[in-house]
Amino acid sequence: MEEKLSFSNPFNLSGKTLLVLLGTCLSVAAIALDWSSGRLINLERSLFLPLAISAITSSILGYWIVPLLQQIKAGQIIREDGPQSHLQKAGTPTMGGIFFVPAGVAIALLWTQFNPDIIAVSMLTLAYGFIGWLDDWQILRRKSNKGISPQMKLTLQIGFAILFCLWLAFHQPAITTDITLPFSLVFSLSFLFWPLAVFVLVAESNSTNLTDGVDGLMGGLGAIAFLGLAASITQLSPELMIFCASMSGSCLGFVTQNRNPARVFMGDTGALALGGALAAVSLLTNTLWLLLIISGIFFVEAVSVIAQVSYYKATKGPDGVGKRLLKMAPLHHHLELSGWSETQVVGMFYLINVILVLITLIVSH
């Protein structure tokens, strides 16, 4: 019998190992950034301290909240047409965003002494988390994969985005409607900036929501993305830097509960909130192009869904059945059905996101 060659995959690690690597890398990066800027023990300007405290707080809350979610039977409904390996996750509690998102927000608010910008970004974050909670709750109540209608979800997202933009327009008169790109390129959008701002808030939150589908994936990517954004805006807004560091830590703390095999899922409650928070910070600091790079994986995940649906509709025959570009969308499910393990997907995506953050830091400095 002919024996096939097999190669070990460096990303085929356990969920616990990935968590340790993620935590170590984030901590070392935050300490290095603080050390290089001379603010290692500066309570008002430190990256590491809010990150560490948020991570510890979020993790401790998880050990208390997850059993409560299990008691109220807040178990996830698993799609039958998804990867078969996911069927064994049925019953795992969802709505994990109810403990780690407020943890990061609360620490950021206290750390910055309720800075007006942090209050606004926190309200937008919690508002998007509320939309996700409504969706998660309806899924649990109906015991199906259908939560609130897509139209209702989109309407609420656009509504809260408009409210945030109105706050920007009236309470931040110095906000620029120009888009600054690398190499000192500036595009003046004037009034068109505001439709773009609403689009970014809605698109970013939906992209992070689509990315949340594998144990430890969105939590870890969120931790990396928030720390990368924090490092990029240290000179632009120390307060928003603290917010990002706190959210990075809360995501890291969540991964202690969500690593493979997950004890809890973040659900739409967490995923929508994370995307909204990233977009809100980027709009306030005029770093949309940085957000685009840092959110590269979220963008690809969203595009994979759009491409899959569009291609299926375009190739639909008389029998009403179309062809598929991917085995399943989003991309992480396609990789799973192609033979990748969950930890391989997570490890590879973590590495790519770190590279994207490094590119961002190089270009922005």
Side-chain angles (χ1 to χ4, degrees):
M1 181 181 294
E2 185 178 350
E3 184 176 336
K4 294 182 179 180
L5 293 176
S6 62
F7 299 91
S8 60
N9 190 309
F11 300 106
N12 194 18
L13 306 172
S14 69
K16 185 176 182 179
T17 301
L18 284 173
L19 170 62
V20 171
L21 288 173
L22 176 65
T24 301
C25 289
L26 291 177
S27 300
V28 170
I31 291 173
L33 288 166
D34 283 344
W35 181 272
S36 64
S37 60
R39 57 168 189 259
L40 187 58
I41 57 173
N42 186 330
L43 293 178
E44 296 181 356
R45 299 294 180 93
S46 172
L47 275 171
F48 174 72
L49 292 177
L51 183 148
I53 293 175
S54 293
I56 294 171
T57 302
S58 176
S59 182
I60 292 174
L61 284 174
Y63 282 103
W64 174 53
I65 296 294
V66 172
L68 294 179
L69 291 174
Q70 292 171 336
Q71 289 179 17
I72 65 173
K73 301 185 184 304
Q76 177 70 52
I77 308 298
I78 304 299
R79 292 171 54 184
E80 293 184 359
D81 61 342
Q84 294 300 300
S85 60
H86 286 209
L87 295 178
Q88 62 186 1
K89 301 180 182 184
T92 302
T94 187
M95 292 196 300
I98 63 172
F99 71 85
F100 83 89
V101 172
V105 166
I107 289 172
L109 286 169
L110 292 171
W111 208 285
T112 60
Q113 300 179 0
F114 294 89
N115 177 273
D117 286 355
I118 306 305
I119 292 175
V121 172
S122 297
M123 290 180 65
L124 187 281
T125 301
L126 295 176
Y128 271 43
F130 173 71
I131 299 172
W133 177 84
L134 281 178
D135 196 43
D136 289 336
W137 181 251
Q138 287 299 313
I139 289 174
L140 295 174
R141 190 176 67 84
R142 297 173 181 175
K143 299 187 183 302
S144 72
N145 281 310
K146 298 187 181 299
I148 60 177
S149 68
Q151 295 80 8
M152 175 62 74
K153 183 186 290 187
L154 184 60
T155 299
L156 289 172
Q157 287 176 294
I158 293 174
F160 285 126
I162 290 174
L163 288 176
F164 181 77
C165 288
L166 287 174
W167 174 84
L168 274 179
F170 289 101
H171 294 275
Q172 295 289 331
I175 191 76
T176 177
T177 56
D178 296 338
I179 300 298
T180 304
L181 300 176
F183 310 111
S184 300
L185 295 177
V186 178
F187 287 92
S188 180
L189 296 179
S190 188
F191 176 76
L192 293 178
F193 172 82
W194 301 110
L196 175 64
V198 172
F199 172 78
V200 169
L201 287 163
V202 174
E204 185 74 9
S205 61
N206 283 322
S207 297
T208 51
N209 195 26
L210 290 171
T211 305
D212 178 39
V214 177
D215 294 353
L217 182 58
M218 188 57 229
L221 293 177
I224 297 169
F226 273 110
L227 185 60
L229 189 56
S232 301
I233 63 173
T234 53
Q235 303 301 320
L236 298 174
S237 174
E239 293 80 17
L240 288 171
M241 178 198 74
I242 295 297
F243 175 83
C244 288
S246 299
M247 292 303 297
S248 176
S250 69
C251 286
L252 178 60
F254 174 72
V255 178
T256 64
Q257 310 297 320
N258 181 241
R259 65 176 176 81
N260 187 277
R263 297 180 64 240
V264 65
F265 302 136
M266 70 168 61
D268 286 13
T269 309
L272 289 178
L274 295 183
L278 285 167
V281 171
S282 181
L283 287 170
L284 266 172
T285 54
N286 191 23
T287 53
L288 289 180
W289 70 270
L290 290 177
L291 179 67
L292 180 62
I293 300 175
I294 291 173
S295 303
I297 289 179
F298 311 147
F299 175 77
V300 170
E301 291 273 70
V303 168
S304 71
V305 173
I306 295 171
Q308 179 87 324
V309 174
S310 300
Y311 187 73
Y312 184 85
K313 290 182 177 179
T315 58
K316 190 176 292 185
D319 58 354
V321 178
K323 298 179 181 179
R324 301 177 187 273
L325 279 174
L326 305 174
K327 294 180 179 180
M328 185 178 178
L331 179 62
H332 57 259
H333 285 326
H334 171 78
L335 294 175
E336 285 186 272
L337 293 176
S338 298
W340 289 45
S341 69
E342 286 194 44
T343 54
Q344 286 174 332
V345 173
V346 172
M348 178 60 77
F349 280 26
Y350 281 4
L351 178 62
I352 293 173
N353 209 23
V354 168
I355 293 173
L356 292 174
V357 166
L358 290 176
I359 292 174
T360 301
L361 294 177
I362 292 172
V363 175
S364 63
H365 291 81

